[in-house]
Amino acid sequence: MESVMTEESIARSNGIYERELLLLNLAELRERYNVKQSDIKGFSQPAISRIEGRTDIKLSTLVKYLTQMGLDIEIKVRPRKPKKGVPPEILLFHT
């Protein structure tokens, strides 16, 4: 399929896939920790439902959501193609 798609179409498709994967994982993550939507402080149950059903989410909302479940988050940057003189990984954010 990618052989007939433009680079822009591939990037857009990958972005949609990654967002959908994140959303699936938010609900699954919450369930793995045996946390009900209504148990997450600072959010109403309907708000949690919306967060878990959105196609994108603000980073600040994600941090608050995870923090209220007792979880930390790290965001690391890695080059797709290693470059000489550039670290293989850079930590951008940690709670």
Side-chain angles (χ1 to χ4, degrees), residues 9-92:
S9 294
I10 293 169
R12 188 172 43 251
S13 177
N14 288 342
I16 292 168
Y17 168 77
E18 289 172 7
R19 285 190 300 272
E20 292 298 321
L21 187 60
L22 169 67
L23 294 172
L24 289 173
N25 287 334
L26 286 178
E28 289 173 9
L29 181 67
R30 179 182 49 75
E31 290 168 4
R32 283 186 188 169
Y33 282 92
N34 296 314
V35 176
K36 296 177 184 174
Q37 289 180 336
S38 59
D39 293 338
I40 300 176
K41 295 178 180 163
F43 295 97
S44 65
Q45 182 277 325
I48 294 297
S49 185
R50 283 192 304 273
I51 288 167
E52 293 177 350
R54 290 184 53 96
T55 55
D56 69 5
I57 184 173
K58 286 184 179 181
L59 180 57
S60 59
T61 302
L62 177 61
V63 168
K64 183 177 177 185
Y65 172 92
L66 295 173
T67 300
Q68 292 302 320
M69 288 197 334
L71 304 172
D72 287 328
I73 183 172
E74 283 186 0
I75 298 175
K76 296 180 181 179
V77 176
R78 290 188 278 283
R80 290 187 178 134
K81 296 179 183 177
K83 294 183 181 182
K84 195 173 190 176
V86 176
E89 184 174 274
I90 299 171
L91 179 64
L92 283 183

